[in-house]
Amino acid sequence: MTKTSRGKPSRSVARLNAVQALFQIEQSGDSVNSVVIQFLEHRLGRATDDDAPILKQPDTTLFSTLVQGTVGDLLQIDELIAGYLDKSWSMERIQLVLKSILRVATWELLHAKDTPTPVILNEYLDVTRAFYDDKEVGFVNGVLDKLARHIRPQ
């Protein structure tokens, strides 16, 4: 029996799922629309097995907006990120999950003007913690902090 969570859709879960979808698009070469549909119909808010905890339902509108917006602005986003990497790093050197996190976070910094910068930064650091340890969290924090100061200088 599938258990579902009730209540307000989660923006945090939408962000995590957007990173996963972006990873899948890059890894598989599938179109953004087919991956978004696959997530909406089969993956969002569902447990992976019977023993998994109940998953909070994601904000599906935010999820779709993040994925489609990020893919649509990918060249601009990658140029921005590349400009704030340490000189010893390149976009090609960054692991795909980390790159996906940075890309979605950058899109949100650029376009989600009603979401405060600290909220965006904290959300994507939490997403990073879902996959990695302190070293990678520090890397993402450093890059996003520089990007946020450039994109939102206030």
Side-chain angles (χ1 to χ4, degrees), residues 25-68:
I25 290 165
E26 188 85 13
Q27 189 75 10
S28 68
D30 292 342
S31 74
V32 64
N33 290 335
S34 68
V35 172
V36 167
I37 289 168
Q38 180 187 104
F39 269 73
L40 291 173
E41 291 179 354
H42 303 290
R43 294 186 59 185
L44 296 181
R46 291 189 172 70
T48 54
D49 60 48
D50 291 338
D51 295 327
I54 296 172
L55 301 176
K56 190 162 175 106
Q57 287 299 113
D59 178 329
T60 56
T61 301
L62 178 61
F63 164 78
S64 297
T65 300
L66 290 172
V67 175
Q68 292 169 334

Side-chain angles (χ1 to χ4, degrees), residues 124-139:
Y124 288 99
L125 291 177
D126 286 345
V127 169
T128 307
R129 285 184 194 97
F131 297 103
Y132 295 103
D133 294 323
D134 292 338
K135 180 178 149 189
E136 290 84 358
V137 173
F139 172 77

Side-chain angles (χ1 to χ4, degrees), residues 4 8-9 34 41 47 63 65 71 80 82 91 100 123 128 141 151:
T4 59
K8 186 177 177 185
S34 68
E41 291 179 354
F63 164 78
T65 300
V71 171
L80 271 171
M91 287 298 286
S100 298
E123 288 282 320
T128 307
N141 186 43
I151 295 169

Side-chain angles (χ1 to χ4, degrees), residues 97-117:
V97 174
L98 287 174
K99 196 182 301 186
S100 298
I101 293 166
L102 291 171
R103 286 171 166 170
V104 180
T106 300
W107 187 90
E108 195 164 355
L109 285 167
L110 287 166
H111 298 286
K113 303 294 186 202
D114 57 337
T115 305
T117 302

